[in-house]
Amino acid sequence: MTTEHTRLVTALRELRAGAGLSLAALAERTAYSKSSWERYLNGKSLPPRQAVRELCRLANEPDGRLLALWEIAESHWSGRAVAPAPAPPPDEAPRPHPQEGPPPAGTGRRRLGGSRLLVVLASAYTVVVGGTAALLFLLLPAPEVQEAEPLPASVPFSLAPQCHGAACEGRDPMRLICGLGPDTLASYRTATGAHVELRHSRKCGASWARTWGTEIGDRLDVTAGGPTHGVLIRNKDAAATFMYTEMTEVRPGSIVRACFRHASADGEQECFGARVGGAATTTRPPSPPVASGSRE
């Protein structure tokens, strides 16, 4: 299973677990059987694009990010993303036969022209392949720190978390396999209608926040008494999907706090928190005060 396929499987399993959907429920509510979903969610086969969309629909999640992951995984699965083979080392290049005579007069320029043509064609092919790969990665919005976060050198098939505690501080929960079946500590609906959730992975000993339904310029921060990590909604692609912060180390009993600030200049910061190990909560922004003398 390629690294790209692993990232897709991790995201799909996290989405299914967060929505509480069993394999039987997926089979009943989609066109794909229980055995098919078992293969898709265990990395045994690549799911169809429509299956990814169906899972996003059932989980009530925007499908932009998952479809971008699917496009990248499918290109590697099908072999479309395989780069041209490197040229052989100089000592392995074919050598002229010792008995060959000099080339006929006038043919040297034609042969040189053919070589240049091959070089131009190979360069154009490389540009096309590279441009396609770059376009696919542009479809996957992520915070600046997340873009710089390298994937593990090798990802085991078991999809075990790749960090714990302090080793997870400031790192991407999806790439480090901490986003697989996390707990939701608390959820919040902002005054502008955006959704915010505090997420926690017991296996990784870390928490983070995610948001969706946002607008360009919105910002979300999370902290557990240590460093603060945040994500800024920079473009319409990011606003159309769910975005998440980097992780922060937590221990049982720690208080995790998230703060959301709307893009407007006078947007007030809306904060809420939850205790690790406590019951999940759902909160909404407070209602405006009722003017004196008015009736409710």
Side-chain angles (χ1 to χ4, degrees):
M1 187 164 60
T2 64
T3 300
E4 293 74 17
H5 190 190
T6 298
R7 291 177 62 191
L8 173 64
V9 170
T10 301
L12 292 176
R13 293 182 66 172
E14 192 240 8
L15 189 60
R16 181 185 78 94
L21 294 167
S22 65
L23 294 178
L26 289 173
E28 291 175 0
R29 301 169 67 180
T30 68
Y32 306 94
S33 66
K34 182 178 178 180
S35 60
S36 294
W37 280 111
E38 189 275 332
R39 291 194 303 273
Y40 303 155
L41 295 172
N42 284 299
K44 297 176 182 177
S45 63
L46 186 73
R49 189 175 190 273
Q50 184 59 31
V52 175
R53 296 189 64 183
E54 287 293 298
L55 179 54
C56 291
R57 177 183 62 82
L58 293 175
N60 195 28
E61 292 280 1
D63 61 11
R65 186 179 182 85
L66 272 296
L67 290 180
L69 286 173
W70 181 88
E71 292 285 352
I72 297 171
E74 193 278 334
S75 66
H76 285 265
W77 181 279
S78 63
R80 291 188 293 108
V82 176
D91 57 352
E92 295 183 10
R95 299 177 181 178
H97 195 277
Q99 296 182 356
E100 279 187 357
T107 60
R109 180 172 298 178
R110 287 197 297 271
R111 291 185 178 182
L112 179 61
S115 299
R116 288 178 177 173
L117 178 59
L118 290 175
V119 171
V120 171
L121 291 176
S123 300
Y125 178 76
T126 303
V127 170
V128 171
V129 172
T132 302
L135 177 60
L136 290 175
F137 276 102
L138 287 175
L139 293 175
L140 184 61
E144 292 180 5
V145 177
Q146 292 173 336
E147 292 176 355
E149 175 71 31
L151 285 169
S154 61
V155 181
F157 182 78
S158 63
L159 300 178
Q162 301 294 296
C163 68
H164 182 82
C168 296
E169 189 72 53
R171 306 185 73 180
D172 188 315
M174 296 298 292
R175 297 183 184 222
L176 275 296
I177 323 296
C178 294
L180 185 60
D183 298 321
T184 298
L185 300 178
S187 58
Y188 181 84
R189 182 76 176 270
T190 72
T192 57
H195 296 265
V196 182
E197 288 182 343
L198 281 172
R199 310 283 270 175
H200 172 65
S201 170
R202 285 173 286 181
K203 292 183 178 180
C204 291
S207 293
W208 63 95
R210 72 171 183 174
T211 183
W212 68 96
T214 55
E215 299 178 14
I216 298 175
D218 290 352
R219 181 177 179 84
L220 176 64
D221 293 304
V222 67
T223 184
T228 298
H229 304 291
V231 59
L232 177 66
I233 309 303
R234 298 183 178 277
N235 51 53
K236 63 180 182 179
D237 292 326
T241 184
F242 65 87
M243 298 292 290
Y244 52 89
T245 69
E246 300 88 358
M247 292 183 284
T248 185
E249 178 189 11
V250 297
R251 295 181 175 85
S254 298
I255 300 295
V256 186
R257 182 177 174 84
C259 290
F260 180 90
R261 185 183 294 277
H262 187 252
S264 60
D266 58 347
E268 296 184 0
Q269 188 168 252
E270 301 177 50
C271 299
F272 69 103
R275 184 181 299 275
V276 176
T281 60
T282 300
T283 58
R284 291 177 175 80
S287 302
V290 179
S292 177
S294 63
R295 296 182 179 180
E296 293 186 0

